[in-house]
Amino acid sequence: MSDIIVNGMSFSLPLFIIAVGGIYSERSGVTNLALEGFLGAGAFFGAVFTALTAGMFAATSQLPMYLSMVVAMAGGALYAVIHAVLCIKFKANQVISGVVVNILAMALTDFLTSQINAGVLGQSSDKFVLNVSTRLTFQPLASLPVIGGFFTNVYPFEFIIIAVAVVAWYAMYKTRFGMRLRACGDNPYAVDAAGCNVARIQFIAVMVSGALSGLGGMCFAYSVFGNFSTSIYTGYGYLAIAAMIFGNWKIPATLGACLLFGFARAAGYSLIQYLGLPGAYSDLIMILPYVLTLLLLMFFSKNNRAPRALGEIYDKGKR
Amino acid sequence: MSEYIVEMRHVTKRFPGIVANDDVSLGIKKGEIFALLGENGAGKSTLMSILFGMYEPDEGEVYVRGKKVEHFSPNHATAMNIGMVHQHFKLVSNYTVTENIILGMEPQKRLGGFLPVVDIKNTNQKIADLSKKFRLEVEPTKKIEDLNVSMQQRVEILKMLYREAEILIFDEPTAVLTPQEIEFLLDIIREMRRNGKTIILITHKLEEIKQVADRCAILNRGKVVGICDVAETSTKKMAELMVGREVSFTQEKSPFRPGEVKLTVDHLVVKNADGFPVVNDVSFSVRGGEIFAIAGVAGNGQVEIADAVAGLTKVSSGTITLGGKEITDAAVRARNRQGLAYIPEDRQSWGLILDFTLSENLLLRRYDQEPYCVKGVLHREKFDEKSRQLIEQFDIRSGQGEKTVVRSMSGGNQQKAIVAREIDQDAPCIIFVQPTRGLDIGAIENIHRQILEERAKGKAILLVSLELDEIMSLADTIGVIYNGQLLKIAPADTMSTNEVGQYMMGVKE
C-alpha cells in the first residue's frame, strides 16, 4: 500500500503541474496539444544546464537539480513562444501548431543532445545522465498506518510542485490577470471591449503553460527516467491533456484526475510485483492509465464544458 | 467651443467594395437623445463604431467636447466617457454580472496586507446601487448564461454606467426584445437623459424614434440625407428620407380575381416529436391570384402547416394537393418541380448557404439543370450571368456583386436573394413564411410589392405571418389559427383587425 502511495504521488504531481500548464493555455482560449513538446523541451534545457555545469558542483549536491528546474521552466516558456507565435500572431490552426511543436521538440532535442554530447562534452551519447533525486522520509509521520506513505520517500520536487500549483491557482482565480485570462477563453471580444489586450494575455498564458510543463518534464527526468533522452516523450503530455479534460479545465478537479491516473499506474506496478509476473508484462500495465482515460472520457465527457472560445482564432476585426 | 458634445466632420470610411460612410457631418448636443436612422447597411453602425474607436475614419475628423480625437481605440473612447452597447453583446457567459462589469478595471484589495486580490464582494454592492439608481433591476451575483437577452442588455448598460460613460451609444437595442421589454428599455433611456447623459440610438424603427428621440439624423447608403427635429417631422417624411424614395405604407392592390384552385390542404394533421398534434385537422384551399394568409400568435402551428406543404415535415394524416396532383408524401424536390416555391421562416438556416456566394445561392434550385449544368459539369459563367440578371431585377445590394459571400450581406438583401430565387422559378404556388421578419421599412415595402406582383400574375400565394398589419394589408382570404386549428376562414374585407385579433387569442366563438 505504502508503495502505491509513494509511486502514485511521485508520478501524479509532475503530471498535474503539466496539466495546470494546459489549463492556463486552454482557459485563455488557445488549444494546447503541445504539452508533450513543452515538457520535453523544458527538460532538455534543464538537462543541458546540469550537464554543462556538472564540474562546478560537488557530485552529491542537490543544488543543480533545483537550478535545473528553474532553467527548465525558463526553457519551456521560451520554447512555448513557437506555439504562441504560430497561434496568436499568425493565427495558425491551433491543433496543427500543437502537433508540429511536439514533433519539432522531439527531433530538435534529440539532435541537439547528440551534438552537445559530442561537441562540448566530448562523448558519444544520445542522453544526458542525471542523478536521480534524493528522497525524504519524515518520521514519525511516515510510521503512521496507510497515510504514512505520503511522508515516505518523498521527492523534494513534490513540495515545489504543490507550491507552484497553489500560486498558479491563486493567480488564475484571484487576480486581475487570471480573471482576464479566463474571460479570454469564453469571449475574447468581451475582453477586447473592456480595453484589455487579448493577444498579450494569451501569449503570456501559453508561455506559462510552457514553464509549468518544463517543470513537470524536469521532475520526470529526475525521477522516472534518471536522464534526459527522447524516451521522455512517452505520452505524458497527452495524458496531462486527458487529465485536464477529465478535470473539466479546473485546477482542483484536475489534481483529482492526475491522482487517479498516478495511483492506477502505481497500483498496476504493485500488482505485477505481487503476482511475480515477468518484466514484459509491465509494459502491459503501463497502458493502464491510458485505458482508464479512454473509459473515463467515454462516460464523463458529456458533462464536460470546454472553454467556450477554445481554439477559436481571435480576430479583432470580426464582430 | 461649439454647442456640440460630439461633432463629426466629413467622415468617410471605406471597406473593400463598399463606402460605409461617405462625407458624414453631424453634431450631437449634450443631454439629448439623438437617433441615427437608416436601412440595414446604411452605415449607422460603422459611423458609431468610429466614435467608439473601433474603426479609424479614412478621412475627416471627430471632435468630442470640442477636442479633436487623435487616437481611435475603445480605450480612448472609454477615457472620453463614451460607452457603447453593441448589437451582439460582449459578455463572458460563465461570469457573474459583477465580474463582467468590472472586467478590465477590476478593483483590488490586499489580502493580509500584501497579496493583491480582485475585490468582488464590495463591488457587488456598488453595482446593486447603480442598478437601483437607473431602475435596471439587475442582480449582480447572477451568471450571464442564466439571464435572458433583455437582462444581458441591461448588464451592458450597467457596464457603461459603471465606467462613468456620459455619451452612451445603443446599436439596434430593440431588435432582440419583446414589446414589453422595449417599453422598459425606452424608460431606462429616458431615465438616463434625466440624469444628464447624452444618448445615441441607432435604429431603423421609426416608432421608437418618435417615442424617445429629440433629434434624428437619417442615413442612406452611407450619406447623411437629413437631420431633423423629431417632434416636428412626420414619420412618413422620415421614412422617405431613409429609403430615398416615397414609401407607401399601404400597398396598391389590384382587384381580387381568383382563378382556379392551385393548392388544397385537406384534413391535415401534423404531430410533433411527442406525438402531440400541432396541426389538427386543417383544411383550406388557395386559388390562383389569391393571397391566403394564416394569422395567429407564434407557436400555434402555422409554421408547421407551411413546412408540411413544402415537404419539410412529415404529415400524420390528411392530404395535400398541388395543381391537381397529390404531393402529401412527395420529396421536396418533386414538389418543387411540380410547381411550389418556398420562402422559409429562418432565412439563414433554411434559405441560404451562408458561406456560398450570392451567385451559387441564387442558383440553388437550378444548378443541376441545363444550361447551368451540362453532363454533370457546372458552368459557372452561366451561374454568374443568371445571377447578374436577378441582382439587377430584384435590386439585391452587396459588396462584390454575384461574387459576394452571402454571410456578409445585410438581412434585407439576403431575403431579397431568396425571394428572387424562388419567384424566378415561376411556380404557380408560392409559400411565404414571415417574409419580412427583421427587415426595415424599405425592404418590407419591396417584399410586399413583390408578393402583390406575383398575385397579379395569377399565382396562388400562401402567406404565414405574425404581423397582423402585414396580413391585413395583403391578404384576400384570412385563416386564423389557434392551437393547431383554423378557427375561422373568411374573406379579408369581411373582418376587422380587431376581430382577427380576437380569433388569434381563441376568444371568439
Side-chain angles (χ1 to χ4, degrees):
Chain A
M1 188 63 204
S2 178
D3 272 357
I4 296 179
I5 294 176
V6 172
N7 292 330
M9 291 299 285
S10 66
F11 181 77
S12 299
L13 288 173
L15 188 69
F16 170 56
I17 204 68
I18 295 166
V20 172
I23 291 172
Y24 259 79
S25 171
E26 300 223 330
R27 286 303 289 263
S28 82
V30 181
T31 304
N32 196 343
L33 294 182
L35 293 178
E36 182 87 357
F38 289 178
L39 79 88
F44 165 79
F45 281 105
V48 168
F49 170 81
T50 315
L52 294 182
T53 58
M56 297 162 65
F57 300 98
T60 52
S61 171
Q62 291 293 310
L63 191 59
M65 183 180 82
Y66 297 115
L67 290 176
S68 74
M69 283 178 184
V70 175
V71 174
M73 288 181 80
L78 191 69
Y79 186 72
V81 167
I82 300 177
H83 188 56
V85 167
L86 282 175
C87 294
I88 299 160
K89 179 98 203 306
F90 295 107
K91 306 187 189 309
N93 181 301
Q94 298 172 0
V95 171
I96 294 174
S97 166
V99 172
V100 166
V101 165
N102 285 341
I103 297 170
L104 181 69
M106 199 187 305
L108 202 61
T109 54
D110 188 27
F111 170 73
L112 290 174
T113 303
S114 307
Q115 290 302 305
I116 291 171
N117 267 321
V120 184
L121 304 170
Q123 58 198 32
S124 164
S125 166
D126 60 355
K127 60 177 71 169
F128 295 115
V129 178
L130 305 166
N131 298 323
V132 173
S133 165
T134 50
R135 293 175 163 220
L136 310 170
T137 299
F138 300 92
Q139 292 297 356
L141 290 171
S143 312
L144 291 170
V146 188
I147 63 158
F150 288 105
F151 304 98
T152 313
N153 284 338
V154 181
Y155 287 110
F157 65 66
E158 293 180 30
F159 300 105
I160 296 174
I161 286 173
I162 290 169
V164 170
V166 168
V167 172
W169 175 85
Y170 160 79
M172 179 168 267
Y173 287 98
K174 294 290 163 191
T175 65
R176 280 183 179 178
F177 175 74
M179 204 170 139
R180 292 170 189 180
L181 185 151
R182 286 178 292 128
C184 284
D186 186 86
N187 186 354
Y189 302 97
V191 182
D192 185 48
C196 308
N197 187 337
V198 175
R200 213 185 93 207
I201 294 169
Q202 291 182 330
F203 211 99
I204 295 172
V206 174
M207 285 183 72
V208 169
S209 183
L212 298 182
S213 304
L215 173 62
M218 202 68 230
C219 295
F220 277 137
Y222 267 107
S223 57
V224 180
F225 302 104
N227 65 48
F228 175 85
S229 69
T230 50
S231 64
I232 200 161
Y233 303 100
T234 47
Y236 295 156
Y238 296 106
L239 194 61
I241 293 172
M244 166 183 78
I245 294 171
F246 186 47
N248 213 355
W249 288 268
K250 294 193 170 90
I251 291 175
T254 300
L255 175 61
C258 290
L259 289 174
L260 191 70
F261 290 158
F263 280 76
R265 185 172 177 274
Y269 276 126
S270 298
L271 193 69
I272 300 172
Q273 279 173 5
Y274 176 73
L275 296 174
L277 291 172
Y281 283 88
S282 68
D283 288 343
L284 198 62
I285 298 302
M286 291 278 271
I287 70 167
L288 206 64
Y290 303 99
V291 174
L292 199 65
T293 310
L294 278 177
L295 290 174
L296 289 175
L297 286 180
M298 253 186 320
F299 290 110
F300 290 97
S301 351
K302 56 174 170 289
N303 300 326
N304 273 5
R305 263 183 46 186
R308 216 159 55 106
L310 180 61
E312 209 174 85
I313 291 166
Y314 173 66
D315 184 356
K316 218 174 159 172
K318 214 178 81 181
R319 276 183 293 165
Chain B
M1 182 91 187
S2 71
E3 57 172 327
Y4 297 122
I5 187 164
V6 173
E7 210 183 341
M8 304 190 113
R9 290 187 200 156
H10 309 291
V11 168
T12 298
K13 177 75 194 171
R14 298 183 195 90
F15 290 113
I18 208 155
V19 183
N21 295 132
D22 190 359
D23 194 23
V24 171
S25 298
L26 53 83
I28 297 163
K29 293 176 196 154
K30 183 169 167 35
E32 73 172 345
I33 299 179
F34 186 88
L36 269 180
L37 178 66
E39 293 184 275
N40 293 326
K44 300 163 292 188
S45 296
T46 309
L47 190 63
M48 285 305 112
S49 296
I50 290 173
L51 179 57
F52 189 57
M54 290 163 68
Y55 300 124
E56 199 164 326
D58 296 328
E59 287 160 35
E61 295 123 34
V62 180
Y63 294 83
V64 176
R65 294 185 194 86
K67 270 178 73 183
K68 190 176 170 198
V69 177
E70 302 283 355
H71 303 284
F72 288 87
S73 85
N75 277 351
H76 285 95
T78 308
M80 292 186 293
N81 299 90
I82 301 174
M84 182 162 179
V85 175
H86 300 272
Q87 216 170 342
H88 304 285
F89 305 146
K90 306 205 168 186
L91 296 170
V92 180
S93 63
N94 58 355
Y95 277 21
T96 65
V97 170
T98 299
E99 286 172 327
N100 265 286
I101 291 171
I102 61 176
L103 186 66
M105 48 183 303
E106 304 85 350
Q108 293 199 87
K109 62 179 178 191
R110 300 270 159 181
L111 199 70
F114 68 102
L115 271 186
V117 178
V118 176
D119 184 5
I120 304 266
K121 210 175 270 171
N122 289 323
T123 322
N124 276 337
Q125 189 52 47
K126 257 192 221 163
I127 286 171
D129 293 344
L130 201 58
S131 165
K132 202 178 268 169
K133 182 178 169 198
F134 289 92
R135 302 184 189 163
L136 291 167
E137 297 174 17
V138 174
E139 270 182 66
T141 51
K142 279 255 170 75
K143 271 196 180 181
I144 295 299
E145 55 199 358
D146 301 328
L147 300 179
N148 65 22
V149 179
S150 159
M151 275 288 185
Q152 292 189 1
Q153 185 176 57
R154 282 179 254 156
V155 175
E156 287 280 12
I157 296 172
L158 264 181
K159 205 152 109 183
M160 294 193 293
L161 295 173
Y162 184 79
R163 277 148 217 255
E164 289 165 355
E166 290 299 322
I167 304 164
L168 294 93
I169 308 166
F170 289 84
D171 191 357
E172 304 270 2
T174 57
V176 288
L177 303 181
T178 65
Q180 290 79 7
E181 290 168 344
I182 292 176
E183 278 307 309
F184 194 90
L185 175 72
L186 296 182
D187 279 343
I188 294 170
I189 290 179
R190 287 193 197 97
E191 186 69 27
M192 289 195 286
R193 174 175 54 184
R194 226 170 46 80
N195 279 282
K197 311 276 188 195
T198 306
I199 287 142
I200 304 171
L201 190 64
I202 304 174
T203 185
H204 60 241
K205 292 187 186 165
L206 291 161
E207 319 89 73
E208 285 157 20
I209 293 182
K210 264 292 182 202
Q211 272 191 51
V212 293
D214 300 308
R215 293 192 312 134
C216 161
I218 298 151
L219 264 73
N220 188 346
R221 298 199 184 199
K223 286 195 167 116
V224 172
V225 290
I227 295 180
C228 51
D229 258 311
V230 173
E232 291 161 15
T233 316
S234 73
T235 320
K236 190 160 161 39
K237 176 75 187 154
M238 286 195 272
E240 276 174 27
L241 283 169
M242 164 170 143
V243 182
R245 60 188 146 78
E246 211 163 300
V247 182
S248 51
F249 286 112
T250 47
Q251 294 276 350
E252 287 297 318
K253 224 167 119 179
S254 56
F256 179 40
R257 281 197 210 89
E260 55 190 274
V261 170
K262 296 261 170 77
L263 175 73
T264 312
V265 172
D266 196 30
H267 296 293
L268 179 73
V269 178
V270 178
K271 290 185 177 158
N272 67 6
D274 305 324
F276 179 81
V278 280
V279 177
N280 199 354
D281 194 21
V282 164
S283 303
F284 64 87
S285 57
V286 190
R287 292 164 286 181
E290 177 184 20
I291 297 178
F292 184 95
I294 300 179
V297 178
N300 271 292
Q302 57 270 66
V303 174
E304 284 78 2
I305 295 179
D307 281 352
V309 175
L312 300 175
T313 312
K314 213 170 139 4
V315 173
S316 296
S317 66
T319 55
I320 301 166
T321 315
L322 179 67
K325 266 194 180 167
E326 196 191 315
I327 55 160
T328 313
D329 295 314
V332 174
R333 182 174 290 196
R335 293 173 200 234
N336 191 221
R337 294 279 144 80
Q338 185 72 27
L340 184 70
Y342 180 58
I343 287 97
E345 178 185 30
D346 186 345
R347 65 180 80 99
Q348 299 207 332
S349 49
W350 290 97
L352 296 165
I353 302 176
L354 290 177
D355 290 316
F356 276 21
T357 63
L358 179 55
S359 159
E360 288 162 331
N361 270 290
L362 284 171
L363 270 296
L364 277 184
R365 294 279 198 196
R366 292 175 182 257
Y367 69 93
D368 57 339
Q369 296 165 9
E370 288 195 13
Y372 311 107
C373 175
V374 181
K375 298 192 173 70
V377 178
L378 297 179
H379 288 263
R380 297 288 179 151
E381 66 287 352
K382 297 282 181 202
F383 276 48
D384 293 347
E385 209 174 281
K386 177 73 185 170
S387 302
R388 279 193 293 271
Q389 179 219 320
L390 288 176
I391 288 168
E392 171 83 31
Q393 190 184 337
F394 289 86
D395 188 28
I396 306 168
R397 290 178 210 166
S398 59
Q400 288 129 358
E402 74 274 8
K403 300 285 182 216
T404 314
V405 172
V406 169
R407 189 182 290 280
S408 70
M409 291 166 49
S410 71
N413 284 302
Q414 290 181 352
Q415 185 72 347
K416 278 188 202 167
I418 298 177
V419 170
R421 180 182 72 210
E422 298 299 320
I423 286 181
D424 182 59
Q425 294 181 76
D426 206 20
C429 179
I430 310 175
I431 306 173
F432 288 88
V433 185
Q434 290 261 66
T436 56
R437 193 177 69 156
L439 302 187
D440 55 60
I441 312 181
I444 291 174
E445 192 210 10
N446 186 303
I447 302 276
H448 284 176
R449 207 186 58 240
Q450 305 281 1
I451 295 176
L452 289 173
E453 270 173 25
E454 292 308 301
R455 169 179 173 271
K457 285 188 210 156
K459 303 288 172 62
I461 291 164
L462 175 62
L463 170 69
V464 173
S465 176
L466 300 179
E467 306 284 338
L468 200 44
D469 292 344
E470 180 166 275
I471 287 180
M472 295 313 287
S473 72
L474 293 179
D476 298 307
T477 310
I478 298 177
V480 189
I481 194 166
Y482 177 72
N483 250 339
Q485 285 181 309
L486 279 182
L487 281 192
K488 176 87 179 172
I489 300 178
D493 46 18
T494 63
M495 283 204 280
S496 70
T497 311
N498 203 354
E499 271 179 291
V500 177
Q502 283 182 336
Y503 282 116
M504 279 164 65
M505 307 305 289
V507 179
K508 231 171 167 183
E509 279 177 349

